[in-house]
Amino acid sequence: MAVALKGKEVAEQLKEKAGELLAGLGGYQPTLAIVRVGEKPDDISYERGAAKRAAAFGLAVKSCVFPADITQEAFLEEFDKLNACEEVDGILVLKPLPKQLSEQEMERRIDWRKDVDGISPVNAAKIFAGSKDGFAPCTAQAVMEVLHHYRLPVEGKRAVVVGRSMVVGRPLAMLLLQENATVTICHTRTKDLAAVCREADILVAAAGQAKMLHEDFVREGAVVLDVGIHVAEDGSMCGDVDYAAISETAAMATPVPGGIGAVTTAVLCLHVIQAAKQRHKRG
């Protein structure tokens, strides 16, 4: 039976690290600005959860809510104010944005030093170049934090990442490469995907399809990290991995819920504190 790599204790360790960094800021309280456009229930729920977690980490939260029909020009004008605001250390934009707004323009516009969710092309370039002063996307970094917390070796291991998005797959591959893993990026059109996945010592599922990976995809003793989050018709949650099916083959695996998702917001909060620390150094 696979050992469950639970995210809660990883998040708690990151909280301790955050406290140490906060202590070095001389009483300064970093601020996270959460940008929400419109009143979609999912966005509101996510914002509340993120704000609650941020407060638990000792952060201040600035809620920036704009009407769903805001124009591109007006939105960018307000966004530039956040970039320039000395009271804001990190910016989190809830996506997707309404159709009249360009996400690509917003990503190009965000100050990379406040881009705590790693969406800026500047931060992407830094991650691909192996630079240590950029911010990786929080979910990709969360996978690495789980590996580090459980002391799972990466160097020399064969890692297979199923998913090629700029949010998880590609940046995660770069993070794994930085720690000397041999990395293969796959996707839903990879020929004989199951056979490629069976070569992995570390298998990351980030394809966005519920229970896509089952026992045929996992070699004996592999470590499986599931990034997917899906809600079934009965309200239950599952990931990209059929956890029950792989539990007899994998040595360790992250559950859904309670795995990577539990770590992602903790990484976000840590990024805000690191952004504040970097700003203080520059100041």
Side-chain angles (χ1 to χ4, degrees):
M1 181 66 71
V3 174
L5 302 174
K6 296 183 179 180
K8 184 178 179 180
E9 62 179 82
V10 185
E12 287 298 320
Q13 184 183 53
L14 292 178
K15 188 176 180 181
E16 291 180 13
K17 182 178 179 181
E20 294 170 2
L21 290 175
L22 276 175
L25 290 176
Y28 176 79
Q29 184 180 34
T31 297
L32 169 66
I34 302 178
V35 177
R36 172 166 56 84
V37 182
E39 300 294 329
K40 289 186 292 186
D42 286 352
D43 283 354
I44 293 172
S45 176
Y46 185 87
E47 179 185 2
R48 285 174 180 163
K52 183 178 180 180
R53 177 60 66 88
F57 270 67
L59 307 179
V61 177
K62 178 181 176 68
S63 182
C64 306
V65 182
F66 304 107
D69 60 355
I70 190 172
T71 66
Q72 174 85 345
E73 182 180 5
F75 177 73
L76 291 178
E77 183 179 341
E78 293 300 320
F79 199 73
D80 285 343
K81 291 178 183 177
L82 282 179
N83 273 333
C85 181
E86 285 299 317
E87 297 176 358
V88 171
D89 298 286
I91 300 172
L92 173 66
V93 182
L94 303 189
K95 298 189 292 183
L97 295 174
K99 291 182 179 179
Q100 79 275 11
L101 303 180
S102 168
E103 289 190 5
Q104 286 187 331
E105 180 60 32
M106 178 272 295
E107 290 166 357
R108 285 194 295 266
R109 202 95 162 197
I110 191 169
D111 183 342
W112 69 270
R113 294 164 295 189
K114 296 185 179 184
D115 172 32
V116 290
D117 201 23
I119 60 175
S120 162
V122 175
N123 273 322
K126 286 178 174 292
I127 297 305
F128 274 68
S131 174
K132 299 297 184 183
D133 64 342
F135 293 113
C138 293
T139 304
Q141 185 65 49
V143 172
M144 300 305 297
E145 296 295 344
V146 170
L147 290 170
H148 295 158
H149 175 81
Y150 286 101
R151 301 179 186 232
L152 299 173
V154 174
E155 183 169 349
K157 298 297 183 180
R158 179 71 182 272
V160 174
V161 180
V162 185
R164 52 182 168 177
S165 76
M166 286 300 293
V167 177
V168 184
R170 298 187 200 191
L172 176 56
M174 295 302 105
L175 295 175
L176 288 163
L177 275 174
Q178 287 176 27
E179 298 196 16
N180 300 315
T182 299
V183 185
T184 300
I185 302 179
C186 298
H187 43 81
T188 54
R189 296 186 184 180
T190 297
K191 185 177 180 180
D192 203 353
L193 177 59
V196 178
C197 290
R198 285 196 300 271
E199 297 176 0
D201 301 305
I202 299 170
L203 177 61
V204 183
Q209 292 188 18
K211 296 187 177 182
M212 175 184 165
L213 275 62
H214 47 78
E215 63 271 23
D216 291 345
F217 290 74
V218 180
R219 69 183 289 182
E220 188 79 33
V223 174
V224 181
L225 300 120
D226 191 352
V227 171
I229 298 179
H230 310 276
V231 181
E233 291 182 1
D234 63 0
S236 63
M237 295 180 69
C238 69
D240 286 3
V241 175
D242 187 334
Y243 190 89
I246 64 100
S247 61
E248 295 297 329
T249 308
M252 300 180 180
T254 55
V256 177
I260 301 297
V263 183
T264 301
T265 309
V267 170
L268 173 72
C269 295
L270 188 62
H271 281 178
V272 177
I273 298 169
Q274 290 170 335
K277 184 177 179 180
Q278 289 172 9
R279 290 183 67 211
H280 275 244
K281 282 184 178 178
R282 292 194 304 272

